[in-house]
């Protein structure tokens, strides 16, 4: 191996891609502090801010996703794709990486394809139980394919697959907060059962609509507490809905006239939120599921219907078939989500069973395993 390993990590678009990418970079740095790491993302996407915040350099490609509903709009997308491949070629020629890692997202396609064509060993990480189109194409040239679910041989060559799991945010695993400290942060009672509702950084419309319609039920259940992350898109309309429901103005960004409800657009300290949560309601993104497995959290999954190949439903069912999660369809959430949550949170045996079963699916140290595989490719 050269004295200084040079590694490109490409992908992004959502926190679900960025958090694992940064975790892999951090793991590489722990193994090889002298490694030079360059991220390649998509211009205008959240990785262009989050990656520098984590201390790494990033270059953006002018890439965009395909519009599946309006095919005629994809002429511009194809032009951007061609420009992105030329720019990726220029980046690779200048940086001279010894390995390229793809974590999914718009930018990983042109970067990993170009790297493979230029003779750079590539490793791809497939987070979901149903492989995306880009990764299926990249797998033909990839040297290693890191996966988080069993049965991925139906998408990829079996001899390239390594079961690694999905890397998660290290600060969640290192959290030593007590339940009392977590309750204090949210102004809640540590002795009461708590439901944590997550919709991602942007929010989940159906989950938010369901909770808004259930404000009377929430207020009436003083034995249960609710922490509700609305996402930044929805916070104002939800605060207005609470004011209209209670007849009282919001006294503080997170405090309202429903004392057992904490509402926020974004939770900065997820470690404390998870510590207090006895049950989680969430979309079924692969990164979130990996967190629930590693933290042994009982969860109700409400898969988003607005994702490619409906992969969130497939992620959810992979857990449901092992009695490791509960599942409510997006289209049935308004009627079924709150009754399912209230039945689960008051059933200690069910919570214990869900926690034990989801813990069996946890794959720890995923970032380190992936980092070691990437460094092995440099050796070869």
């Amino acid at each position: 191996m050269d004295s200084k390993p040079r590694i490109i990590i490409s992908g992004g678009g959502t926190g679900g891609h960025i958090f694992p990418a940064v975790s892999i970079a951090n793991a590489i740095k722990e193994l090889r502090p002298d490694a030079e790491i360059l991220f390649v993302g998509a211009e205008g996407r959240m990785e262009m801010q989050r990656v520098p915040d984590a201390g790494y350099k990033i270059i953006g490609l002018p890439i965009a996703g395909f519009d599946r509903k309006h095919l005629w709009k994809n002429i511009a997308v194809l032009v951007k794709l061609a420009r992105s491949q030329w720019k990726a070629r220029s980046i690779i020629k200048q940086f001279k990486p010894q390995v390229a890692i793809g974590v999914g997202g718009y930018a990983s396609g042109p970067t990993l394809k170009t790297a493979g064509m230029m003779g750079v060993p590539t490793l791809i990480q497939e987070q979901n139980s149903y492989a995306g189109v880009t990764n299926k194409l990249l797998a033909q040239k990839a040297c290693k394919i890191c996966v988080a679910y069993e049965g991925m041989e139906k998408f990829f060559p079996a001899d390239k697959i390594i079961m690694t799991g999905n890397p998660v945010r290290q600060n969640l695993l290192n959290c030593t907060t007590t339940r009392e400290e977590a309750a204090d942060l949210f102004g809640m009672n540590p002795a009461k059962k708590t439901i944590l509702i997550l919709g991602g950084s942007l929010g989940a419309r159906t989950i938010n609509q369901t909770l808004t319609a259930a404000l009377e039920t929430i207020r009436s259940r003083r034995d249960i507490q609710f922490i509700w992350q609305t996402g930044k898109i929805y916070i104002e309309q939800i605060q207005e809905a609470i004011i209209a429901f209670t007849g009282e103005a919001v006294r503080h960004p997170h405090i309202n006239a429903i004392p057992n409800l904490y509402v926020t657009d974004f939770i900065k300290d997820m470690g404390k939120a998870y510590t207090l949560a006895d049950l989680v309601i969430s979309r079924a993104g692969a990164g979130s599921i990996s967190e629930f497995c590693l933290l042994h959290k009982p969860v109700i999954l409400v898969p988003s219907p607005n994702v490619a190949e409906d992969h969130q439903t497939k992620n959810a069912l992979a857990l449901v078939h092992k009695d490791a999660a509960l599942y409510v369809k997006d289209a049935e959430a308004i009627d079924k989500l709150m009754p399912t949550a209230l039945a689960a949170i008051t059933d200690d045996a069910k919570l214990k069973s869900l926690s034990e079963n989801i813990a069996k699916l946890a794959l720890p140290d995923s970032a380190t395993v992936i980092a070691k595989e990437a460094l092995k490719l440099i050796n070869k």
Side-chain angles (χ1 to χ4, degrees), residues 107-350:
S108 65
T111 306
L112 271 284
K113 180 185 177 185
T114 304
M117 290 170 63
M118 295 175 71
V120 178
T122 61
L123 176 152
I124 58 176
Q125 192 228 348
E126 175 54 64
Q127 297 185 356
N128 295 294
S129 60
Y130 191 92
V133 174
T134 301
N135 273 352
K136 282 190 273 190
L137 293 172
L138 293 174
Q140 298 166 15
K141 288 258 186 186
C143 302
K144 294 289 181 184
I145 303 165
C146 299
V147 302
Y149 291 89
E150 297 170 354
M152 299 302 285
E153 297 83 5
K154 60 181 174 281
F155 304 112
F156 304 126
D159 59 332
K160 295 182 179 182
I161 293 174
I162 305 168
M163 177 71 86
T164 61
N166 289 322
V168 302
R169 294 170 277 186
Q170 284 100 326
N171 62 327
L172 297 180
L173 304 180
N174 301 333
C175 181
T176 57
T177 301
T178 66
R179 187 175 176 93
E180 286 71 23
E181 289 169 340
D184 186 59
L185 175 68
F186 296 102
M188 291 188 162
N189 184 342
K192 289 186 178 181
K193 291 282 183 69
T194 304
I195 300 176
L196 172 64
I197 303 103
L198 303 173
S201 55
L202 298 179
R205 183 175 60 183
T206 301
I207 293 176
N208 285 332
Q209 288 175 340
T210 300
L211 269 288
T212 302
L215 288 174
E216 180 59 57
T217 301
I218 290 169
R219 185 168 65 175
S220 68
R221 292 301 301 261
R222 294 298 177 91
D223 56 324
I224 300 167
Q225 301 171 138
F226 299 81
I227 301 172
W228 181 7
Q229 177 184 281
T230 66
K232 64 181 181 182
I233 295 173
Y234 299 97
I235 185 65
E236 288 186 9
Q237 68 186 61
I238 286 168
Q239 286 177 337
E240 288 171 5
I242 291 170
I243 292 168
F245 171 72
T246 62
E248 294 185 38
V250 175
R251 300 190 293 272
H252 180 274
H254 311 306
I255 300 170
N256 52 71
I258 306 175
N260 59 330
L261 174 63
Y262 178 98
V263 179
T264 182
D265 60 336
F266 183 74
I267 299 171
K268 290 182 180 176
D269 195 334
M270 278 302 302
K272 287 183 178 176
Y274 279 135
T275 297
L276 190 58
D278 299 288
L279 176 69
V280 182
I281 295 172
S282 173
R283 290 303 200 190
S288 297
I289 287 175
S290 295
E291 291 178 358
F292 306 146
C293 292
L294 287 162
L295 298 172
H296 310 172
K297 284 295 162 185
V299 62
I300 301 173
L301 297 171
V302 187
S304 170
N306 306 312
V307 293
E309 286 95 24
D310 196 25
H311 67 249
Q312 284 204 6
T313 296
K314 297 175 177 74
N315 291 348
L317 292 177
L319 271 69
V320 171
H321 291 154
K322 296 184 178 181
D323 295 322
L326 300 175
Y327 162 58
V328 173
K329 290 181 181 178
D330 186 87
E332 299 176 347
I334 292 286
D335 296 323
K336 294 186 177 180
L337 180 55
M338 190 56 68
T340 301
L342 294 176
I345 196 70
T346 52
D347 186 340
D348 288 338
K350 186 65 176 177

Side-chain angles (χ1 to χ4, degrees), residues 65-74 77 205 305-307:
F66 280 92
D67 190 324
R68 294 162 188 262
K69 292 181 179 177
H70 310 97
L71 295 179
W72 57 271
K73 291 185 178 179
N74 289 319
V77 174
R205 183 175 60 183
N306 306 312
V307 293

Side-chain angles (χ1 to χ4, degrees), residues 77-92:
V77 174
L78 291 171
V79 172
K80 288 181 177 180
L81 178 61
R83 287 175 56 211
S84 295
Q85 287 181 330
W86 276 107
K87 188 168 182 179
R89 183 176 179 83
S90 173
I91 291 167
I92 291 165

